[in-house]
Amino acid sequence: MSAVELAALIRDRQPCVVLTGAGVSTESGIPDFRSPSGLWATFDPLEYGSIEAFHADPLKVWSFYKPRVAMLTEAEPNPAHVALAELERRGFVEAVVTQNIDLLHERAGSKEVVEVHGSIRTATCPGCGARYQVEQVLALLANADAPGCPACGAILKPDVVFFGELLPPEAIERAYQLAHRARLLLVVGSALEVYPVAGLPEETLAAGGALAIVNRGRTPYDGRAVLRIDGSAGEVLPAVVAAL
Ligand SMILES: [Zn+2]
């Protein structure tokens, strides 16, 4: 019933913009690093995930990132990613704004993806500025604990937003523009706790749009959503596609 209601809401309230967080990728086997049992509970983000840590000791940071990058590139899109790509293809979704760095929306077929926390697609050399594709980074990692720049030897930094770094300004600006004009902002798999992304629902609501949430667990916006489904994105979203 809830999926049918959500389908009706998406049909009635165009344009619809989707905001996704870690919860959309957990069914692809990618853990939510911020969950109480997640990696950031085991690894201190300041020691392994901050830009200061990277500048101080890039080898130590790569000891954490190397298995993670391998895991992310081996993961496959799940039915939630596929359903969102299908909704876009059928004209029901204008864009997907994502906090995820795993490229799974793109690999599922989504065309308009705004990556507000960057992605593993590329890595940049802090020494000479050269940029490398993830395939090249993986090839470099096959023979080393950390990828050294083939041009100058400096340790490459993945183009994901580290703690202590600013979010990419163009992506954030685009995300706020999309949220502003959305008549429906559909939040999937995000607890809406990390700013500035957590401010996107406020932008939609202030502009007269509505908010729908599909998430396991509570969010600070639950009371202001017209529809809220506490369930699995991989089950709910394919049901929405089937209902449209
Ligand atoms: Zn270089």
Side-chain angles (χ1 to χ4, degrees):
M1 189 59 199
S2 298
V4 173
E5 287 171 30
L6 180 53
L9 204 55
I10 290 172
R11 196 199 311 272
D12 293 346
R13 301 195 66 100
Q14 288 290 321
C16 168
V17 171
V18 179
L19 170 62
T20 68
V24 84
S25 288
T26 48
E27 287 166 68
S28 293
I30 298 172
D32 179 356
F33 295 107
R34 294 178 194 269
S35 77
S37 60
L39 271 180
W40 294 135
T42 313
F43 290 88
D44 181 352
L46 292 180
E47 251 182 274
Y48 292 91
S50 72
I51 190 64
E52 290 79 11
F54 183 82
H55 289 318
D57 192 348
L59 282 171
K60 181 176 176 181
V61 169
W62 270 104
S63 73
F64 167 75
Y65 265 97
K66 182 179 176 178
R68 189 177 170 208
V69 169
M71 182 263 289
L72 290 175
T73 53
E74 284 161 15
E76 294 293 335
N78 67 56
H81 298 106
V82 173
L84 289 175
E86 175 67 9
L87 288 174
E88 181 185 349
R89 199 185 63 75
R90 290 170 59 181
F92 289 115
V93 161
E94 182 173 30
V96 176
V97 176
T98 188
Q99 298 170 280
N100 300 336
I101 60 167
D102 54 33
L103 307 178
L104 291 182
H105 286 301
E106 179 180 287
R107 287 174 54 202
S110 288
K111 303 286 185 226
E112 292 296 324
V113 183
V114 182
E115 296 163 326
V116 290
H117 289 173
S119 82
I120 59 165
R121 184 179 298 104
T122 54
T124 299
C125 175
C128 70
R131 181 167 283 182
Y132 300 91
Q133 299 295 313
V134 66
E135 293 81 11
Q136 295 168 281
V137 174
L138 290 172
L140 291 166
L141 281 170
N143 302 308
D145 294 330
C149 175
C152 78
I155 303 290
L156 304 181
K157 182 195 165 289
D159 290 331
V160 303
V161 176
F162 279 35
F163 292 101
E165 276 191 305
L166 291 176
L167 272 57
E170 311 83 43
I172 283 295
E173 191 177 327
R174 176 100 202 285
Y176 270 84
Q177 284 168 355
L178 285 164
H180 185 83
R181 59 183 246 99
R183 291 193 63 231
L184 179 68
L185 182 70
L186 170 59
V187 177
V188 182
S190 173
L192 298 172
E193 282 167 347
V194 185
Y195 279 86
V197 174
L200 291 172
E202 191 65 59
E203 185 73 17
T204 299
L205 292 168
L211 181 64
I213 300 174
V214 177
N215 188 56
R216 283 199 189 281
R218 304 194 56 77
T219 83
Y221 284 96
D222 287 355
R224 299 166 73 190
V226 288
L227 179 67
R228 166 173 161 67
I229 302 176
D230 194 322
S232 146
E235 288 170 13
V236 173
L237 295 179
V240 169
V241 171
L244 272 165

